[in-house]
């Protein structure tokens, strides 16, 4: 049976998570912090499957607050080796990115995650789609960024942890399955992408209520894996 660890980037996203869940929470947002959290789950808690659970901004007009996106593929939206020889452009990570600059995640795990959230959170719309990541986001330039233009959602961790797990397997022979589940908090690509404080507080209360169901989510994944 798989040993599944949840990576929850921030403390505010971890409010209401039952103590019985195997988690690495509160390491902080961003690429470096999320890789440290993944290392904690893999090397300290001995998890063989890492699943990010957290919030994200929508880059699609069809996805709204409360909708759920399971990452089917991911890309760094703010990584570039230009003008080094052979650099193909924004988002291209040598030996990680595919021909279209994206990295495909474990499709069987993504399908299982989708089934799990549809079962545990049936009142929420859930889809599989591309999720891009980076440490800086500018709503005014979102659709001009070639990676963001293809993404359903934007976060600060998925692509980094995906590459971390990929490098572990390729360089060290340590096989860790990885997936991401993101709950949309707002539309990040619009000019009014910043939620009002009271709106975001309301959303976080909803998210904390969803956290209470995480044991059911993990149980579904363990039984079905």
């Amino acid at each position: 049976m798989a040993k599944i660890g949840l990576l929850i980037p921030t403390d505010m996203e971890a409010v209401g998570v039952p103590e019985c869940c195997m988690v690495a929470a509160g390491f902080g947002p961003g690429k470096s912090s999320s890789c440290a959290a993944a290392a904690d789950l893999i090397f300290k808690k001995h998890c063989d499957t890492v699943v990010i659970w957290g919030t994200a901004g929508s880059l699609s007009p069809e996805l709204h607050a409360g909708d759920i996106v399971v990452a089917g593929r991911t890309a760094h939206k703010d990584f570039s080796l230009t003008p080094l020889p052979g650099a193909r452009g924004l988002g291209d990570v040598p030996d990680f990115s595919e021909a279209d600059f994206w990295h495909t995640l474990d499709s069987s795990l993504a399908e299982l995650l989708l089934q799990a959230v549809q079962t545990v959170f049936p009142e929420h719309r859930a889809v599989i789609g591309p999720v891009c990541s980076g440490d800086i986001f500018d709503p005014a330039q979102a659709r001009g960024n070639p990676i963001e233009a293809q993404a359903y959602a934007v976060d600060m961790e998925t692509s980094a942890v995906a590459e971390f797990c990929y490098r572990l397997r390729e360089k060290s022979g340590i096989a860790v399955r990885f997936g991401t589940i993101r709950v949309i908090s707002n539309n990040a690509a619009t000019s009014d992408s910043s939620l009002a404080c009271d709106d975001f507080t309301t959303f976080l209360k909803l998210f904390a209520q969803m956290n209470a169901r995480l044991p059911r989510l993990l149980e579904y994944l363990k039984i079905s894996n």
Side-chain angles (χ1 to χ4, degrees), residues 167-190:
R167 301 293 182 192
L168 274 182
R169 184 181 70 249
E170 294 298 304
K171 302 296 184 181
S172 303
I174 300 172
V176 178
R177 300 184 79 188
F178 169 70
T180 285
I181 304 170
R182 292 288 184 171
V183 181
I184 298 299
S185 61
N186 67 308
N187 191 304
T190 61

Side-chain angles (χ1 to χ4, degrees), residues 184-199:
I184 298 299
S185 61
N186 67 308
N187 191 304
T190 61
S191 58
D192 60 346
S193 61
S194 296
L195 285 177
C197 183
D198 56 344
D199 291 338

Side-chain angles (χ1 to χ4, degrees), residues 46-163:
H46 308 292
C47 296
D48 54 29
T49 304
V50 173
V51 176
I52 294 180
W53 167 261
T55 63
S58 169
L59 290 174
S60 167
E62 298 179 1
L63 292 175
H64 308 285
D67 291 342
I68 298 173
V69 179
V70 173
R73 57 183 184 144
T74 189
H76 295 287
K77 70 182 185 63
D78 56 358
F79 184 92
S80 176
L81 290 175
T82 307
L84 295 182
R88 297 185 299 164
L90 187 67
D92 179 35
V93 182
D95 302 321
F96 176 70
S97 301
E98 297 158 10
D100 61 357
F101 293 21
W102 289 76
H103 175 79
T104 301
L105 299 177
D106 184 328
S107 59
S108 61
L109 179 58
E111 289 289 347
L112 179 58
L113 294 176
L114 180 64
Q115 294 168 16
V117 296
Q118 288 174 332
T119 300
V120 178
F121 306 106
E123 72 276 25
H124 293 261
R125 180 189 179 202
V127 298
I128 292 178
V131 175
C132 67
S133 308
D135 292 328
I136 299 173
F137 182 78
D138 182 353
Q141 299 180 13
R143 307 322 285 178
N145 179 304
I147 300 299
E148 292 171 354
Q150 300 178 59
Y152 282 16
V154 57
D155 66 19
M156 300 178 72
E157 296 86 20
T158 293
S159 65
V161 180
E163 184 180 358

